[in-house]
Amino acid sequence: MQVNETLNEGLKRGYAITITAAEIEAKVNEKLVEAQPEVEMKGFRKGKVPMALLKKQFGPRIMGEVMQESVDGAMSKHFEDSGDRPAMQPDVKMTNENWKEGDDVNVEMSYEKLPEIPEVDLSKIKLEKLVVKSDDAAVEEALGNLAETAQDFADRKKGSKAKDGDQIVMDFVGKVDGEAFEGGSAEDYPLVLGSNSFIPGFEDQLVGVKEGEEKAVTVSFPEDYQAEHLAGKEAVFDCTIKAVKEPKAAEINDEMAKKFGAEDLAALKGQIAERLEAEYAGAARAVMKRGLLDALDKAVSFDLPPSLVDAEAGQIAHQLWHEENPDVEGHDHPDVTPTDEHKTLAERRVRLGLLLAELGQKAEVEVTDAEMSQAVMNQARQYPGQERQFFEFVQQNPQMQQQLRAPLFEDKVVDYVFDQASVTEKEISKDELQKAVEALEDE
């Protein structure tokens, strides 16, 4: 086997690989000899089929296997000897298209190698860790928000008209063509106007009703209504309004705390304080991570594989196009051409991705099976009722596994660098933290 370099330009490499006919024939014969004892053929005892007949019968198929194995072996040996790591799958093609048995096999292989990543003294990286304490005011504000979500309803003054957001209590009977239909009647039914819990148009007609009023509401069921015998039909609901109530935030006390699973108000406050501090810590970590990535981006410089940059720029452009055109769900749209801005961002992402991968490899950072299982479980919760199918999909899809593993690996590498860097703490207010987070989103 001969390997000759044909291209050495930056990170681009090209090689002409020649596998001689003698090598191929030797391997074919080796496979036939290995298989001969198990071969049965009419007219011969098991294992006694002549080699010439075996070669005629099985030679072409084995020849194909040997050629593929020889090319794969040549590539593996090349990467082992050279130490090159291809940025993407190498482009491999056979150049003598009119090949026939007895000819050498000529192959061209080209790829972009991953660059040598320079050493980084992580101890010289200076980072600022923002710290926010959950004070009483923040806890009280969060309590007030919870009270809003746990709102009660209190009777409005006699004769008051119902407003959007009010709750009315009513009896109603629904009729189609003058006949009451099954499931269309209820007594003492509480309905929050504007909740859109009834078919379109129903709640709008009840805005302005008063306690004791009778109101006929005329609506049409949607054409795609789940009950086929009602789909598209007009219905009249005879409604008797028994009460009109206005929303009222729940009273902040032990009773409200129990609605949220706490033993009492003090316990709920403790839970809120813990949740707030966890939220602050998460936001502060995001700010600190951006600071780290900025510092690493300035600390290193090396050649980038153009194929990786182009692929990343294309992905960025495609993602941003969909964000600007949310109504287009599929990918049946004109090609999206990356801009210089997209390419600049792509270069940063590729550079940092390669650097973090190198740092993680040298630090022997690994994502454990338990961490992967937890990530899959978290993702599966987005598909209620289909968790099992999602698990099976991930097990059978290496690309999906990589998509889940990559952010876990990156976060573990980032935590490793945090431990090596010089970190100083700075206590700030939650408003200052919010501004720091918003600044990240604006960049």
Side-chain angles (χ1 to χ4, degrees):
M1 179 177 63
Q2 299 173 353
V3 180
N4 296 315
E5 187 176 71
T6 58
L7 175 65
N8 188 328
E9 182 181 309
L11 298 175
K12 295 180 179 180
R13 297 290 184 272
Y15 295 89
I17 301 173
T18 301
I19 303 168
T20 66
E23 289 177 274
I24 294 173
E25 184 178 9
K27 289 184 179 180
V28 169
N29 290 335
E30 183 182 327
K31 282 182 175 286
L32 288 173
V33 169
E34 184 180 338
Q36 188 179 32
E38 301 300 322
V39 175
E40 296 182 67
M41 193 176 292
K42 189 175 181 180
F44 299 94
R45 286 181 295 161
K46 182 179 179 180
K48 297 301 182 180
V49 181
M51 187 60 66
L53 193 54
L54 282 178
K55 195 165 189 177
K56 181 178 180 181
Q57 181 78 9
F58 302 108
R61 178 174 63 82
I62 292 178
M63 182 76 70
E65 292 178 2
V66 166
M67 289 171 66
Q68 185 62 56
E69 289 174 3
S70 298
V71 172
D72 291 344
M75 289 172 56
S76 296
K77 187 174 189 311
H78 165 74
F79 289 125
E80 184 179 343
D81 292 345
S82 67
D84 286 356
R85 292 179 296 162
M88 300 183 79
Q89 186 69 24
D91 181 24
V92 181
K93 59 184 178 182
M94 189 170 170
T95 56
N96 48 341
E97 296 178 359
N98 297 321
W99 177 90
K100 61 183 182 298
E101 188 174 349
D103 290 347
D104 295 343
V105 173
N106 299 321
V107 172
E108 284 185 356
M109 176 177 68
S110 59
Y111 60 89
E112 291 171 2
K113 61 174 285 189
L114 290 176
E116 296 295 326
I117 311 296
E119 291 283 342
V120 180
D121 187 351
L122 300 179
S123 64
K124 292 185 177 180
I125 293 179
K126 300 184 183 301
L127 300 173
E128 189 173 67
K129 181 178 181 180
L130 304 180
V131 179
V132 179
K133 302 294 185 182
S134 61
D135 56 18
D136 291 343
V139 172
E140 291 299 327
E141 181 183 348
L143 269 176
N145 293 334
L146 284 179
E148 292 276 340
T149 64
Q151 67 180 5
D152 293 324
F153 290 91
D155 287 331
R156 281 195 177 276
K157 185 178 178 182
K158 196 83 170 175
S160 296
K161 294 182 179 181
K163 302 176 181 178
D164 203 34
D166 282 355
Q167 181 191 73
I168 60 172
V169 180
M170 63 179 175
D171 297 340
F172 62 85
V173 178
K175 298 176 182 179
V176 171
D177 297 330
E179 295 292 331
F181 58 89
E182 185 178 354
S185 303
E187 293 183 353
D188 295 324
Y189 189 91
L191 173 64
V192 177
L193 301 182
S195 63
N196 297 320
S197 53
F198 273 42
I199 58 177
F202 188 97
E203 295 168 29
D204 295 340
Q205 296 179 53
L206 292 172
V207 173
V209 297
K210 302 177 183 178
E211 180 184 343
E213 183 178 343
E214 293 184 355
K215 175 86 172 183
V217 175
T218 303
V219 289
S220 293
F221 285 97
E223 294 290 343
D224 59 351
Y225 195 65
Q226 63 267 27
E228 292 183 7
H229 66 291
L230 297 175
K233 292 189 176 180
E234 183 178 89
V236 177
F237 288 84
D238 295 325
C239 305
T240 301
I241 311 304
K242 303 176 80 171
V244 175
K245 301 185 176 187
E246 62 182 333
K248 181 181 178 183
E251 189 175 344
I252 299 176
N253 53 25
D254 290 343
E255 197 62 35
M256 189 197 84
K258 290 176 182 177
K259 290 182 180 180
F260 290 97
E263 291 185 5
D264 51 30
L265 185 58
L268 180 59
K269 287 183 176 181
Q271 292 175 9
I272 290 174
E274 289 180 7
R275 177 176 58 78
L276 288 175
E277 292 202 353
E279 289 178 1
Y280 297 153
R285 185 185 188 281
V287 174
M288 186 167 151
K289 179 179 177 180
R290 175 61 66 84
L292 168 63
L293 296 179
D294 289 345
L296 289 175
D297 192 35
K298 294 176 182 177
V300 295
S301 178
F302 50 86
D303 291 337
L304 302 176
S307 58
L308 289 184
V309 174
D310 290 344
E312 185 67 26
Q315 186 174 344
I316 291 170
H318 191 262
Q319 180 181 346
L320 292 176
W321 188 91
H322 274 283
E323 289 177 5
E324 294 168 359
N325 299 272
D327 296 336
V328 181
E329 295 183 1
H331 302 290
D332 185 17
H333 55 72
D335 290 338
V336 182
T337 303
T339 64
D340 290 342
E341 186 178 355
H342 296 149
K343 188 172 181 180
T344 299
L345 178 56
E347 289 173 347
R348 171 186 164 96
R349 287 187 180 179
V350 170
R351 183 182 302 109
L352 290 173
L354 292 175
L355 176 59
L356 290 175
E358 182 77 3
L359 292 173
Q361 184 178 12
K362 288 183 177 178
E364 298 183 347
V365 173
E366 291 184 356
V367 177
T368 65
D369 291 342
E371 290 166 337
M372 270 297 291
S373 296
Q374 186 62 50
V376 175
M377 288 176 61
N378 293 340
Q379 194 80 3
R381 291 194 184 100
Q382 299 181 21
Y383 307 94
Q386 297 180 306
E387 290 87 352
R388 182 176 178 180
Q389 293 93 319
F390 182 79
F391 271 100
E392 292 174 352
F393 170 73
V394 172
Q395 288 176 340
Q396 299 167 8
N397 193 320
Q399 186 176 359
M400 186 64 184
Q401 293 174 26
Q402 180 56 28
Q403 287 179 7
L404 293 173
R405 180 179 282 105
L408 297 177
F409 177 80
E410 180 178 297
D411 280 343
K412 294 188 77 169
V413 175
V414 166
D415 287 335
Y416 163 76
V417 179
F418 282 165
D419 290 339
Q420 306 301 311
S422 174
V423 180
T424 56
E425 292 190 355
K426 179 183 179 182
E427 191 165 331
I428 61 172
S429 68
K430 69 168 187 172
D431 290 338
E432 290 173 314
L433 177 60
Q434 180 64 32
K435 289 180 181 178
V437 172
E438 289 173 355
L440 297 184
E441 296 171 350
D442 292 338
E443 292 181 6

